Amino acid sequence: MVPSDIKIGKEQLNVLAYADGIALIGKNEKEIIKLFVEMENIARKFGLQINQEKTKYMIVERKNSLKQNKIGHLKIKTYKFEGMENFKYLGVIFNEDNDNQIDLQERIKNANKTYFMLQKFSKNKSIKETKIKTKEHNNR
């Protein structure tokens, strides 16, 4: 694999994979291209093909850095991939500025929805009566 500075603990990561979703991680376009070529060669050995329509790319840079890579298309071999400003992978929102505010806002919004939904249930008298009846039934 191509060297990368992305670490979890002491482990270096270049690829995140779960089921049929794969995220290639590189410091720049050159690293992403190298990782993709290597991944495609391995996939081909197993008879797998890359779906160009479902494959996207994103260059992540530190906030306030000069953007050298504008969102566009990335060409690798015969493939042409669409660039993304952000994407959701396993429930986490990643963006090109490496800013987690979008992800945090999304999590807070979802937590609030769940909280207020549960509030409706806790105020529902028929549900409370059911719980009481169940407890009384168990105490007999």
Side-chain angles (χ1 to χ4, degrees):
M1 287 285 169
V2 178
S4 177
D5 292 335
I6 298 166
K7 293 183 180 184
I8 293 181
K10 295 180 181 180
E11 297 295 319
Q12 250 176 312
L13 296 179
N14 298 90
V15 178
L16 299 175
Y18 181 78
D20 66 344
I22 298 174
L24 301 178
I25 301 169
K27 292 186 283 188
N28 52 43
E29 198 172 285
K30 186 177 178 180
E31 276 192 14
I32 291 172
I33 291 169
K34 285 182 183 179
L35 284 167
F36 176 81
V37 169
E38 187 173 336
M39 181 192 69
E40 191 219 9
N41 289 337
I42 292 168
R44 189 177 294 149
K45 288 178 186 177
F46 289 97
L48 302 173
Q49 296 177 344
I50 306 301
N51 184 331
Q52 181 173 293
E53 298 302 314
K54 291 184 177 181
T55 305
K56 313 288 184 215
Y57 84 99
M58 182 176 70
I59 304 293
V60 177
E61 298 175 328
R62 292 195 188 277
K63 206 171 187 178
N64 298 323
S65 68
L66 295 173
K67 297 278 184 193
Q68 294 177 355
N69 301 304
K70 303 231 184 304
I71 300 297
H73 288 85
L74 177 64
K75 293 180 183 177
I76 305 174
K77 293 184 172 186
T78 60
Y79 298 97
K80 185 176 179 183
F81 303 116
E82 179 187 352
M84 305 295 292
E85 292 179 4
N86 59 62
F87 72 96
K88 195 173 207 174
Y89 185 76
L90 298 179
V92 178
I93 299 172
F94 295 91
N95 65 25
E96 64 182 353
D97 292 328
N98 201 20
D99 179 8
N100 64 355
Q101 287 302 309
I102 296 171
D103 186 53
L104 290 173
Q105 289 170 356
E106 182 76 13
R107 289 173 184 265
I108 290 168
K109 183 177 84 175
N110 289 335
N112 283 333
K113 281 182 187 176
T114 303
Y115 173 77
F116 288 110
M117 181 188 69
L118 291 173
Q119 286 297 315
K120 290 178 187 176
F121 285 117
S122 68
K123 292 178 183 177
N124 187 328
K125 290 181 182 180
S126 64
I127 293 175
K128 286 182 182 180
E129 289 173 13
T130 304
K131 289 181 185 177
I132 292 168
K133 287 179 186 176
T134 305
K135 286 182 182 179
E136 288 175 5
H137 182 68
N138 290 338
N139 289 335
R140 289 182 190 177

